[in-house]
Amino acid sequence: MNAPYPMSPQWPDRRALYDFQSNTLSLLIISRRCRDMLESGHHANIEFLPITLLDHRGKVASPSYFIANLQGSVDCMDLERSIFRPEPLKPSTFASCSRLVLRDDRIPEDVELFRLSNGPTTYILKQSLKERFEAAGIQGASFIPEHEYNSALY
């Protein structure tokens, strides 16, 4: 419970807290406000693991953050039209992807946020959730349209 999660000492000037906190592990680290929004919507099964963000000196920056661990994934990548390089040790996932095409017919209608089966660190959200995040002023996330996605850039 409330495991400590330190900020990187390599960037001591980056202390701002956002609803989505960037990190090098491709985790969804979110604020309580973001968690509340996700709990009130339709999403994949999400486990919320409480963490305490520590600043660069090891002091508590915020005790109210969570790792949003999305359980499962959705197999909706169009392998024929997407351009990707398979992961050598696990060919069913991509090592890099320069053109992502999704098959809408494979995405459950009632799920707005999920992990991509072929790219488990790639999180997909539907336009409806993006609009609610923007209307609520949620900060710290980049919402990349499917046709602009290139894993080398993110």
Side-chain angles (χ1 to χ4, degrees):
M1 292 298 280
N2 273 0
Y5 195 92
M7 293 181 182
S8 174
Q10 291 180 341
W11 295 285
D13 295 334
R14 296 184 184 173
R15 288 178 271 203
L17 297 179
Y18 301 100
D19 295 297
F20 283 90
Q21 281 297 121
S22 65
N23 62 91
T24 58
L25 299 175
S26 299
L27 299 172
L28 280 181
I29 297 179
I30 61 171
S31 67
R32 167 144 328 263
R33 183 168 79 125
C34 190
R35 175 188 173 162
D36 292 345
M37 287 187 70
L38 290 174
E39 285 183 319
S40 67
H42 301 284
H43 313 291
N45 186 19
I46 303 174
E47 173 185 33
F48 296 101
L49 305 168
I51 60 172
T52 298
L53 285 182
L54 303 178
D55 68 14
H56 305 85
R57 298 176 312 242
K59 297 187 186 215
V60 174
S62 175
S64 300
Y65 275 78
F66 304 85
I67 295 173
N69 183 25
L70 278 63
Q71 305 291 305
S73 60
V74 175
D75 183 12
C76 61
M77 183 173 166
D78 187 327
L79 299 177
E80 308 261 327
R81 298 183 338 177
S82 296
I83 299 172
F84 63 97
R85 183 173 54 85
E87 184 67 52
L89 297 176
K90 190 175 181 188
S92 63
T93 63
F94 60 75
S96 63
C97 181
S98 59
R99 179 175 183 229
L100 178 62
V101 179
L102 301 179
R103 295 216 21 208
D104 291 336
D105 61 321
R106 291 188 179 176
I107 301 171
E109 285 188 35
D110 62 340
V111 174
E112 293 181 297
L113 175 64
F114 57 90
R115 247 183 240 271
L116 186 61
S117 292
N118 302 88
T121 59
T122 301
Y123 302 97
I124 307 292
L125 71 149
K126 289 186 177 174
Q127 184 69 26
S128 55
L129 180 57
K130 175 187 178 278
E131 290 170 1
R132 286 200 311 280
F133 278 159
E134 290 174 339
I138 295 292
Q139 297 179 332
S142 296
F143 302 114
I144 312 303
E146 172 187 348
H147 64 276
E148 292 179 17
Y149 180 79
N150 183 332
S151 67
L153 301 176
Y154 311 106

